[in-house]
Amino acid sequence: MSVSQLAAKKPKMAEEIKHLPMIVPLPLPEEQLKEIVEKSKDWALMHGAAMRSKTQFSEDALFFAPFVLIPSAFPRKEFAKALEIQLILNELMHKVAHDRRFLTESLKETIKVDEFTGNLFRIYETVLGEGLTQRTTLGLLRSDYMVNASSTDKIKQVEINTIASSFGGIGTNITVFHRYILQELGHSDMLKNLPENNALEGLCSGMIEAWKIYGKPEAVIMFLIEDITYNICDQRFHEFKIREMCPQVRVIRRTLTDMAERASLGPKKQLLIDECEVGVIYFRAGYEPGHYHSQKEWDARLLMERSLAIKSPSIHYHLAGTKKVQQTLAKPGALDQFLNDPSKVEKVKQIFAGLYSLDFDELGEQAIQMAIDDPERFVLKPQREGGGNNVYGLEVRDAVKKMKDSEERTAWILMERIHPPLSTGYMVRPGGSKAPQLVDMVSELGIFGVVIGDAEKITYNKQVGHMLRTKVATANEGGVAAGLGALDSPYLID
Ligand code: ADP
Ligand code: MG
């Protein structure tokens, strides 16, 4: 089917989009709501479903993270599908990350105009040119989905994250939180529909496994962190869990600037900082330009990539997680290069939404025209992570018109907009003194995967858990750390 034929298949209008059922009768009586909200805030604070405040920052204080009081309905079959497909996605991303030709071809136009991706790519070429010191890679991935009400309620992938995939820690606690809330509301019979979640343990097992492969008892696991960590619980939980699961392992935290100032390579290219040898690096920073204050932070990234440390992600995994690569993988025939089993290819194709390049070729021109004709059907995305970078609604038209004659357009991709079904519930945020109101919301499911291996083989491939983020239906984006989203749990319905 050509791009223009695809464009002719219009999705249902927003008003036709259906509502998911309420899992308990709402609204709750006023007194009951007040009491359960008070309890739930304290539960959240006391179990670390919390963050540091951006507006009233103190290293010594936490605010509870925004949450949805009663878990949102999610179709059971689609949830099971997302879990099942994670092993295939792990394999796919591992192979893509190790395919120099594919990454180079996919990114060749983008890196000419997008400085950030260009810088990452230069590091990639440098370390490949020198020969990799560490061939083992640790992928800690999160594949994100929304149910698409315009395609008979099937999940569609929003993106796959290969760097700093967050909320494995707090998300695990939120499952326990919602068990508590349903019990408090007298619905113990419903607990069976809240799926178990061991994301934290699964992610930490991956890091410990990599540390064992590194093979030096005195080596540390280093978390590479931002200058200020607001989402601190979602990092400390990992740190504490690692110590609990494998008492010999020490975790240290360092910024890119710390690395620039004090890190060096030993005779075997061991990564050394502050008297420690780093066996594994877990990146919770380095995914956006603002994290690199100057050339010296870029030099520090190169130093880490040159080192013997096992990196999550390595530079090639980082590049494999770009939106441009996601779009290239949706091209006809692309998946077949990596997945030799046609049934796997078919499964992955099913979860892809329409993805279009804005390159200077016939398909690119068609995509530009589609975006101008029908902007609200699409989301326009640059090569960035961390939320707040995409363009939505009528602004898609303006943005595309503005960039259509400039090279800049090749740094963007166009994606079919997914229209999730609405759910109704209470969102609770810090600072709100009044009782929460019922609002219409939409949810995004994330599934965590761990994959370890090298260019020849995969030695570890697991699906390890989930997280659900929910935002008010009118918001374009719902990052929890970024501000509009709230933590939630999927309540499975048939
Ligand atoms: P980021 O790397 O910034 O997280 P995403 O691709 O995940 O980029 O987009 C950010 C948010 O924008 C998503 O969490 C989702 O809420 C919204 N979004 C992204 N793509 C789509 C889409 N195709 N349809 C609807 N909403 C989308
Ligand atoms: Mg995202």
Side-chain angles (χ1 to χ4, degrees), residues 142 144 158-159 161 323 385-387 444 469:
R142 198 188 72 214
D144 290 339
V158 175
E159 65 158 345
N161 300 283
K323 302 203 166 51
E385 302 293 328
E444 182 172 348
R469 268 178 306 179

Side-chain angles (χ1 to χ4, degrees), residues 196-419:
E196 271 203 31
N197 190 12
N198 294 311
L200 178 64
E201 196 175 310
L203 295 171
C204 294
S205 296
M207 286 191 249
I208 292 168
E209 184 67 22
W211 177 82
K212 287 181 180 159
I213 292 172
Y214 189 81
K216 272 205 192 161
E218 67 280 10
V220 301
I221 298 182
M222 182 182 82
F223 290 12
L224 186 84
I225 54 166
E226 320 93 301
D227 297 335
I228 302 174
T229 306
Y230 295 104
N231 195 8
I232 186 70
C233 300
D234 197 59
Q235 297 180 13
R236 289 289 188 201
F237 277 132
H238 301 64
E239 181 174 344
F240 303 156
K241 193 75 183 175
I242 288 170
R243 185 65 96 178
E244 184 188 312
M245 291 173 72
C246 191
Q248 313 84 293
V249 185
R250 184 169 161 227
V251 169
I252 63 168
R253 294 164 60 79
R254 294 293 182 275
T255 64
L256 272 166
T257 309
D258 291 330
M259 298 310 285
E261 287 169 356
R262 303 196 300 281
S264 61
L265 297 185
K268 294 198 176 118
K269 300 215 182 145
Q270 308 95 311
L271 181 63
L272 307 172
I273 178 152
D274 303 338
E275 330 267 284
C276 298
E277 175 171 346
V278 177
V280 177
I281 312 176
Y282 172 46
F283 281 73
R284 290 296 295 249
Y287 54 82
E288 63 172 49
H291 295 162
Y292 299 81
H293 306 306
S294 66
Q295 183 57 39
K296 71 178 189 182
E297 281 78 14
W298 280 110
D299 295 343
R301 179 74 191 265
L302 176 60
L303 184 88
M304 290 188 278
E305 297 302 330
R306 277 179 168 149
S307 79
L308 190 61
I310 298 177
K311 294 158 278 286
S312 183
S314 63
I315 191 77
H316 33 311
Y317 255 82
H318 189 170
L319 290 169
T322 55
K323 302 203 166 51
K324 186 66 197 174
V325 169
Q326 182 190 4
Q327 177 259 309
T328 319
L329 280 171
K331 282 184 173 176
L335 292 171
D336 308 79
Q337 299 173 46
F338 300 105
L339 302 170
N340 39 26
D341 174 350
S343 77
K344 288 184 183 174
V345 172
E346 200 40 48
K347 281 181 182 157
V348 177
K349 271 193 192 158
Q350 300 273 330
I351 60 157
F352 280 175
L355 286 153
Y356 310 98
S357 114
L358 299 183
D359 287 348
F360 284 97
D361 57 18
E362 200 188 326
L363 291 176
E365 296 306 331
Q366 284 181 25
I368 291 274
Q369 199 52 48
M370 281 183 342
I372 292 174
D373 291 346
D374 209 350
E376 286 168 296
R377 281 191 46 221
F378 302 101
V379 179
L380 185 64
K381 299 189 177 186
Q383 308 305 309
R384 291 289 175 277
E385 302 293 328
N389 303 298
N390 302 339
V391 180
Y392 301 86
L394 291 175
E395 287 175 21
V396 170
R397 177 185 287 149
D398 300 338
V400 166
K401 274 187 169 169
K402 227 161 133 192
M403 68 171 74
K404 81 181 180 20
D405 297 320
S406 101
E407 291 283 328
E408 189 207 341
R409 75 186 223 191
T410 59
W412 295 74
I413 64 156
L414 191 68
M415 182 173 183
E416 172 194 349
R417 185 159 188 164
I418 308 165
H419 291 283

Side-chain angles (χ1 to χ4, degrees), residues 5 8 40 159:
Q5 280 171 311
S40 64
E159 65 158 345

Side-chain angles (χ1 to χ4, degrees), residues 79-93:
F79 182 79
K81 191 203 281 178
L83 295 187
E84 190 204 316
I85 206 168
Q86 189 59 41
L87 298 185
I88 307 175
L89 293 177
N90 288 347
E91 178 189 346
L92 173 67
M93 295 313 289

